[in-house]
Amino acid sequence: MRTTWPNDALAAISLTFDVDAETGWLGEDPAYAHRLSTLSEARFGITRGLPRILDLLTRHDIKATFYVPGHTAELHPEAIKRIAHEGHEIGHHGHMHLRSDAIDANAQKEEIERGFEALAPIATPIGYRSPSWELTPETLELLKQHGFTYDSSLMGDDRPYTLENGLLELPVHWSLDDWPHLHWKPGRGDAFTSPQAFLDTWIKEFESALRDRRHLTYTMHPEVIGRGYRVQLLDDLIAAVRERADVWFATHADVAAFVTS
Ligand SMILES: [Zn+2]
Protein backbone atom coordinates (compact mmCIF):
# COMPACT_ATOMS: atom_id res chain seq x y z
CA MET A 1 0.00 0.00 0.00
CA ARG A 2 1.01 3.60 -0.59
CA THR A 3 3.59 5.43 1.47
CA THR A 4 3.67 8.52 -0.73
CA TRP A 5 0.98 11.18 -0.67
CA PRO A 6 -0.01 14.26 -2.70
CA ASN A 7 2.32 17.28 -2.51
CA ASP A 8 5.01 15.17 -0.82
CA ALA A 9 3.01 15.01 2.41
CA LEU A 10 4.57 12.57 4.88
CA ALA A 11 1.30 11.01 6.03
CA ALA A 12 -2.41 11.24 5.31
CA ILE A 13 -5.10 11.89 7.90
CA SER A 14 -8.86 11.60 7.64
CA LEU A 15 -11.03 13.25 10.27
CA THR A 16 -14.32 11.36 10.30
CA PHE A 17 -17.54 12.09 12.18
CA ASP A 18 -20.44 9.72 12.72
CA VAL A 19 -23.55 11.88 12.92
CA ASP A 20 -25.67 9.36 14.79
CA ALA A 21 -27.76 11.96 16.67
CA GLU A 22 -31.07 10.54 18.02
CA THR A 23 -31.00 7.74 15.44
CA GLY A 24 -28.18 5.99 17.28
CA TRP A 25 -30.45 5.44 20.29
CA LEU A 26 -33.76 4.90 18.48
CA GLY A 27 -32.13 2.20 16.35
CA GLU A 28 -30.82 0.46 19.45
CA ASP A 29 -34.22 0.41 21.17
CA PRO A 30 -37.44 2.24 20.24
CA ALA A 31 -38.01 2.70 24.00
CA TYR A 32 -35.46 5.53 23.80
CA ALA A 33 -38.25 7.60 22.22
CA HIS A 34 -39.40 8.16 25.84
CA ARG A 35 -35.95 8.91 27.21
CA LEU A 36 -35.80 12.63 26.61
CA SER A 37 -32.56 13.24 28.45
CA THR A 38 -30.64 10.68 26.39
CA LEU A 39 -32.22 12.01 23.18
CA SER A 40 -31.40 15.58 24.12
CA GLU A 41 -27.75 14.71 24.59
CA ALA A 42 -27.77 13.13 21.12
CA ARG A 43 -29.48 16.20 19.68
CA PHE A 44 -26.80 18.42 21.20
CA GLY A 45 -24.52 16.94 18.53
CA ILE A 46 -26.65 18.61 15.88
CA THR A 47 -27.48 21.88 17.62
CA ARG A 48 -24.07 22.67 19.14
CA GLY A 49 -21.46 20.04 18.25
CA LEU A 50 -21.81 20.08 14.48
CA PRO A 51 -21.62 23.89 14.03
CA ARG A 52 -18.52 23.99 16.24
CA ILE A 53 -16.87 21.22 14.26
CA LEU A 54 -17.71 22.81 10.90
CA ASP A 55 -16.40 26.19 12.03
CA LEU A 56 -13.18 24.57 13.22
CA LEU A 57 -12.70 22.68 9.94
CA THR A 58 -13.23 25.90 7.98
CA ARG A 59 -10.71 27.70 10.16
CA HIS A 60 -8.12 25.00 9.45
CA ASP A 61 -9.14 24.61 5.80
CA ILE A 62 -9.68 20.87 6.21
CA LYS A 63 -12.30 18.72 4.46
CA ALA A 64 -13.66 15.82 6.47
CA THR A 65 -15.97 12.83 6.05
CA PHE A 66 -19.32 12.70 7.84
CA TYR A 67 -21.11 9.35 8.06
CA VAL A 68 -24.81 10.08 8.33
CA PRO A 69 -27.66 7.61 9.00
CA GLY A 70 -30.57 8.27 6.62
CA HIS A 71 -32.92 8.91 9.52
CA THR A 72 -30.60 11.62 10.89
CA ALA A 73 -30.76 13.37 7.49
CA GLU A 74 -34.57 13.19 7.62
CA LEU A 75 -34.67 14.61 11.16
CA HIS A 76 -32.10 17.36 10.55
CA PRO A 77 -31.99 18.15 6.82
CA GLU A 78 -30.63 21.69 7.19
CA ALA A 79 -27.76 20.61 9.43
CA ILE A 80 -26.76 17.81 7.07
CA LYS A 81 -27.08 20.08 4.02
CA ARG A 82 -24.66 22.51 5.64
CA ILE A 83 -22.05 19.72 5.87
CA ALA A 84 -22.34 19.06 2.13
CA HIS A 85 -22.48 22.75 1.19
CA GLU A 86 -19.19 23.34 2.97
CA GLY A 87 -17.52 20.76 0.74
CA HIS A 88 -17.26 17.84 3.13
CA GLU A 89 -17.97 14.26 2.16
CA ILE A 90 -21.19 12.53 3.23
CA GLY A 91 -20.82 8.78 3.79
CA HIS A 92 -23.48 6.11 4.25
CA HIS A 93 -24.12 4.99 7.83
CA GLY A 94 -27.26 2.87 7.51
CA HIS A 95 -30.74 4.27 7.88
CA MET A 96 -31.87 3.58 11.46
CA HIS A 97 -28.30 2.83 12.57
CA LEU A 98 -29.16 -0.88 12.95
CA ARG A 99 -26.22 -3.18 13.66
CA SER A 100 -25.65 -5.52 10.72
CA ASP A 101 -25.02 -8.48 13.02
CA ALA A 102 -28.40 -8.01 14.71
CA ILE A 103 -30.57 -8.10 11.57
CA ASP A 104 -30.96 -10.51 8.63
CA ALA A 105 -29.78 -9.95 5.07
CA ASN A 106 -33.13 -8.53 3.93
CA ALA A 107 -33.18 -5.97 6.72
CA GLN A 108 -29.56 -5.06 5.95
CA LYS A 109 -30.55 -4.46 2.32
CA GLU A 110 -33.40 -2.25 3.46
CA GLU A 111 -31.07 -0.27 5.72
CA ILE A 112 -28.76 0.42 2.79
CA GLU A 113 -31.52 1.31 0.35
CA ARG A 114 -33.46 3.53 2.75
CA GLY A 115 -30.22 5.26 3.73
CA PHE A 116 -29.50 6.08 0.09
CA GLU A 117 -33.06 7.38 -0.42
CA ALA A 118 -32.92 9.65 2.61
CA LEU A 119 -29.52 11.07 1.67
CA ALA A 120 -30.38 11.43 -2.05
CA PRO A 121 -31.48 15.10 -1.86
CA ILE A 122 -28.12 15.95 -0.25
CA ALA A 123 -25.48 13.52 -1.53
CA THR A 124 -24.81 10.14 -3.13
CA PRO A 125 -22.31 8.38 -0.87
CA ILE A 126 -19.53 6.23 -2.31
CA GLY A 127 -18.32 5.09 1.10
CA TYR A 128 -19.96 3.10 3.87
CA ARG A 129 -19.40 2.83 7.60
CA SER A 130 -21.43 0.21 9.41
CA PRO A 131 -23.31 1.23 12.56
CA SER A 132 -21.23 0.27 15.61
CA TRP A 133 -18.65 -1.11 13.17
CA GLU A 134 -20.43 -4.46 12.99
CA LEU A 135 -20.16 -5.94 9.53
CA THR A 136 -21.27 -9.35 8.23
CA PRO A 137 -20.43 -11.26 5.01
CA GLU A 138 -23.94 -10.30 3.82
CA THR A 139 -23.14 -6.60 4.35
CA LEU A 140 -19.97 -6.87 2.30
CA GLU A 141 -21.90 -8.52 -0.52
CA LEU A 142 -24.54 -5.76 -0.39
CA LEU A 143 -21.86 -3.05 -0.49
CA LYS A 144 -20.48 -4.58 -3.65
CA GLN A 145 -23.96 -4.84 -5.21
CA HIS A 146 -24.70 -1.21 -4.40
CA GLY A 147 -21.53 0.03 -6.03
CA PHE A 148 -19.68 1.40 -3.00
CA THR A 149 -16.02 2.27 -3.57
CA TYR A 150 -14.88 1.73 -0.01
CA ASP A 151 -15.85 0.68 3.48
CA SER A 152 -14.59 2.10 6.76
CA SER A 153 -15.63 -0.31 9.53
CA LEU A 154 -12.95 -2.99 9.83
CA MET A 155 -9.70 -3.27 11.76
CA GLY A 156 -7.60 -5.86 9.91
CA ASP A 157 -4.71 -3.49 9.18
CA ASP A 158 -3.78 0.07 10.04
CA ARG A 159 -3.23 0.92 6.37
CA PRO A 160 -5.82 1.00 3.59
CA TYR A 161 -6.30 -2.55 2.30
CA THR A 162 -8.31 -4.44 -0.27
CA LEU A 163 -11.00 -6.89 0.80
CA GLU A 164 -11.56 -10.23 -0.92
CA ASN A 165 -14.47 -8.85 -2.93
CA GLY A 166 -12.34 -6.00 -4.24
CA LEU A 167 -13.76 -3.30 -1.97
CA LEU A 168 -11.23 -0.88 -0.49
CA GLU A 169 -11.12 -0.82 3.31
CA LEU A 170 -10.09 2.35 5.15
CA PRO A 171 -9.65 0.81 8.59
CA VAL A 172 -10.62 2.19 11.97
CA HIS A 173 -9.92 1.33 15.60
CA TRP A 174 -11.85 1.65 18.84
CA SER A 175 -8.90 3.24 20.61
CA LEU A 176 -8.95 6.18 18.17
CA ASP A 177 -12.72 6.73 18.52
CA ASP A 178 -13.97 9.41 20.92
CA TRP A 179 -17.04 7.37 21.95
CA PRO A 180 -15.40 4.63 24.09
CA HIS A 181 -13.13 7.22 25.73
CA LEU A 182 -15.37 10.20 26.29
CA HIS A 183 -18.99 9.09 26.13
CA TRP A 184 -20.66 7.97 29.33
CA LYS A 185 -23.90 6.04 29.30
CA PRO A 186 -26.16 6.39 32.34
CA GLY A 187 -25.86 3.35 34.57
CA ARG A 188 -22.69 2.09 32.96
CA GLY A 189 -20.44 3.15 35.77
CA ASP A 190 -17.00 3.44 34.23
CA ALA A 191 -15.28 6.80 34.12
CA PHE A 192 -14.29 8.98 31.20
CA THR A 193 -10.78 8.94 29.83
CA SER A 194 -9.26 12.31 30.64
CA PRO A 195 -9.27 14.55 27.56
CA GLN A 196 -5.49 15.00 27.82
CA ALA A 197 -4.89 11.24 27.93
CA PHE A 198 -7.09 10.79 24.87
CA LEU A 199 -5.24 13.56 23.01
CA ASP A 200 -1.96 11.83 23.89
CA THR A 201 -3.29 8.59 22.35
CA TRP A 202 -4.28 10.43 19.18
CA ILE A 203 -0.87 12.12 18.92
CA LYS A 204 1.07 8.90 19.61
CA GLU A 205 -0.85 7.14 16.85
CA PHE A 206 -0.14 10.05 14.51
CA GLU A 207 3.58 9.78 15.30
CA SER A 208 3.51 6.08 14.44
CA ALA A 209 1.64 6.83 11.19
CA LEU A 210 4.29 9.41 10.37
CA ARG A 211 7.05 6.83 10.87
CA ASP A 212 5.19 4.41 8.59
CA ARG A 213 4.21 7.14 6.10
CA ARG A 214 0.69 5.78 6.26
CA HIS A 215 -2.90 6.93 6.23
CA LEU A 216 -4.72 7.30 9.53
CA THR A 217 -8.41 7.68 10.38
CA TYR A 218 -9.73 9.38 13.52
CA THR A 219 -13.38 8.79 14.42
CA MET A 220 -15.56 11.23 16.32
CA HIS A 221 -19.20 11.92 17.16
CA PRO A 222 -20.55 15.50 17.24
CA GLU A 223 -22.33 14.94 20.58
CA VAL A 224 -19.06 13.75 22.12
CA ILE A 225 -16.25 15.82 20.59
CA GLY A 226 -18.57 18.82 20.14
CA ARG A 227 -18.68 19.79 23.84
CA GLY A 228 -16.88 23.10 24.30
CA TYR A 229 -13.83 21.80 26.13
CA ARG A 230 -13.49 18.76 23.89
CA VAL A 231 -13.60 20.49 20.52
CA GLN A 232 -10.44 22.11 21.80
CA LEU A 233 -8.86 18.62 21.69
CA LEU A 234 -9.45 18.46 17.98
CA ASP A 235 -7.97 21.92 17.57
CA ASP A 236 -4.94 20.81 19.59
CA LEU A 237 -4.59 17.62 17.55
CA ILE A 238 -4.53 19.53 14.26
CA ALA A 239 -1.99 21.99 15.67
CA ALA A 240 0.22 19.17 16.99
CA VAL A 241 0.11 17.37 13.64
CA ARG A 242 0.95 20.48 11.63
CA GLU A 243 3.77 21.33 13.99
CA ARG A 244 5.43 17.97 13.40
CA ALA A 245 5.05 17.41 9.68
CA ASP A 246 3.50 18.28 6.38
CA VAL A 247 0.44 16.07 6.31
CA TRP A 248 -2.35 15.55 3.80
CA PHE A 249 -5.71 16.03 5.55
CA ALA A 250 -8.16 14.35 3.20
CA THR A 251 -11.67 12.95 3.06
CA HIS A 252 -12.06 9.21 2.76
CA ALA A 253 -13.28 9.69 -0.82
CA ASP A 254 -10.08 11.55 -1.70
CA VAL A 255 -7.91 8.91 -0.04
CA ALA A 256 -9.83 6.13 -1.81
CA ALA A 257 -9.36 7.85 -5.17
CA PHE A 258 -5.65 8.34 -4.51
CA VAL A 259 -4.79 4.86 -3.26
CA THR A 260 -6.67 3.15 -6.06
CA SER A 261 -5.28 5.39 -8.83
ZN1 LIG B 1 -22.76 5.44 14.37
Side-chain angles (χ1 to χ4, degrees):
M1 271 293 172
R2 295 195 91 113
T3 55
T4 58
W5 302 102
N7 302 319
D8 296 325
L10 297 180
I13 293 184
S14 295
L15 302 178
T16 68
F17 301 88
D18 296 357
V19 192
D20 298 343
E22 295 97 323
T23 311
W25 297 109
L26 297 171
E28 187 176 311
D29 185 348
Y32 274 109
H34 297 277
R35 295 180 62 172
L36 298 186
S37 188
T38 297
L39 290 183
S40 71
E41 192 211 13
R43 192 183 177 87
F44 174 95
I46 298 290
T47 55
R48 295 291 282 151
L50 197 53
R52 277 188 178 134
I53 290 162
L54 291 171
D55 290 348
L56 178 143
L57 293 173
T58 298
R59 206 163 67 244
H60 288 285
D61 194 22
I62 290 174
K63 299 294 182 229
T65 299
F66 291 77
Y67 290 96
V68 183
H71 182 255
T72 297
E74 288 174 351
L75 283 180
H76 307 291
E78 294 312 314
I80 307 307
K81 273 183 207 155
R82 180 180 165 193
I83 298 173
H85 286 163
E86 295 189 7
H88 302 289
E89 180 192 4
I90 305 277
H92 196 300
H93 196 41
H95 183 67
M96 280 307 300
H97 201 269
L98 303 181
R99 281 172 50 161
S100 298
D101 63 318
I103 54 177
D104 65 20
N106 276 339
Q108 289 187 45
K109 184 165 180 276
E110 201 181 315
E111 273 284 288
I112 288 176
E113 289 174 356
R114 288 183 71 195
F116 269 124
E117 278 166 32
L119 291 172
I122 303 171
T124 304
I126 62 162
Y128 177 80
R129 172 170 283 167
S130 57
S132 306
W133 288 339
E134 287 292 352
L135 203 59
T136 67
E138 294 81 17
T139 326
L140 283 183
E141 187 51 38
L142 285 163
L143 297 186
K144 192 79 188 157
Q145 285 169 15
H146 285 82
F148 283 98
T149 301
Y150 72 87
D151 170 68
S152 179
S153 318
L154 300 176
M155 309 181 192
D157 201 321
D158 55 9
R159 300 162 297 178
Y161 62 106
T162 307
L163 300 171
E164 264 176 37
N165 68 359
L167 207 65
L168 177 70
E169 178 62 38
L170 299 175
V172 291
H173 195 257
W174 295 114
S175 67
L176 304 174
D177 178 347
D178 63 359
W179 191 275
H181 289 278
L182 301 178
H183 187 267
W184 183 84
K185 188 174 177 179
R188 199 175 59 185
D190 46 353
F192 299 107
T193 302
S194 85
Q196 192 56 45
F198 185 48
L199 178 62
D200 288 348
T201 300
W202 268 355
I203 291 174
K204 286 278 185 292
E205 178 65 355
F206 163 64
E207 289 171 345
S208 83
L210 190 57
R211 284 193 294 276
D212 295 342
R213 302 283 189 261
R214 66 178 153 86
H215 170 245
L216 162 62
T217 291
Y218 293 111
T219 301
M220 291 158 272
H221 299 76
E223 61 270 54
V224 178
I225 202 71
R227 308 292 319 180
Y229 72 99
R230 292 179 183 154
V231 90
Q232 186 60 46
L233 282 187
L234 184 53
D235 213 14
D236 293 347
L237 172 72
I238 294 166
V241 163
R242 286 193 161 148
E243 226 175 73
R244 284 165 174 76
D246 191 9
V247 164
W248 186 43
F249 280 98
T251 65
H252 271 172
D254 287 342
V255 172
F258 186 73
V259 300
T260 55
S261 63

